[in-house]
Amino acid sequence: CIRDSKRTAWRALTAIEENPKYEKYHEKTKVYKVKIEGELKKICQDAINTIDNTLLKNASSAEAKVFYLKMKADYYRYTGEVCTGKELEDVAQKAEESYELAKKAADTLPPT
């Protein structure tokens, strides 16, 4: 999955940045890391938009709604992995809201 490869690349670049052994590469690493962050944020936002604009609107069962709301929260969480400050607070809040909505929808399902 392209999302996972971007997340893995971002983690690897972060590890390189944090290792003094690779200090001479920090400037190039930083530039590439910003590019990866932008790409990951776009992938996640595209997925969130698809979930909101198509999948949730067409979800015909509570089980489907739970699945899509949890997926939406997960994509906010992936975005949060590469955010800081106010942006991180915003995506964390949106993830929490989506998880809460998924839980409420799940509460309407019969126990398994």
Side-chain angles (χ1 to χ4, degrees):
C1 170
I2 194 162
R3 176 206 66 226
D4 290 338
S5 64
K6 299 291 182 192
R7 291 172 68 209
T8 300
W10 187 86
R11 285 189 209 111
L13 291 167
T14 299
I16 290 169
E17 275 185 333
E18 293 172 354
N19 189 332
K21 177 179 167 183
Y22 300 110
E23 190 171 343
K24 66 182 178 180
Y25 301 110
H26 284 184
E27 197 56 43
K28 288 181 182 180
T29 302
K30 188 176 190 176
V31 170
Y32 190 55
K33 187 175 170 185
V34 168
K35 179 181 178 191
I36 295 294
E37 288 171 0
E39 291 172 355
L40 181 60
K41 288 176 186 179
K42 182 180 181 335
I43 290 166
C44 290
Q45 191 57 56
D46 287 349
I48 291 165
N49 291 344
T50 299
I51 292 165
D52 280 341
N53 299 329
T54 304
L55 300 173
L56 279 171
K57 285 182 179 181
N58 294 316
S60 58
S61 69
E63 188 174 354
K65 288 177 185 174
V66 170
F67 178 80
Y68 294 132
L69 286 166
K70 185 192 171 298
M71 183 186 297
K72 179 179 172 180
D74 290 343
Y75 275 98
Y76 278 122
R77 186 173 50 83
Y78 303 147
T79 302
E81 291 175 359
V82 299
C83 294
T84 58
K86 177 75 170 116
E87 186 178 21
L88 175 57
E89 290 175 26
D90 291 346
V91 295
Q93 181 180 355
K94 289 175 182 178
E96 184 176 357
E97 289 169 1
S98 294
Y99 282 130
E100 285 298 319
L101 289 171
K103 184 179 179 329
K104 285 180 186 177
D107 289 342
T108 68
L109 295 170
T112 57

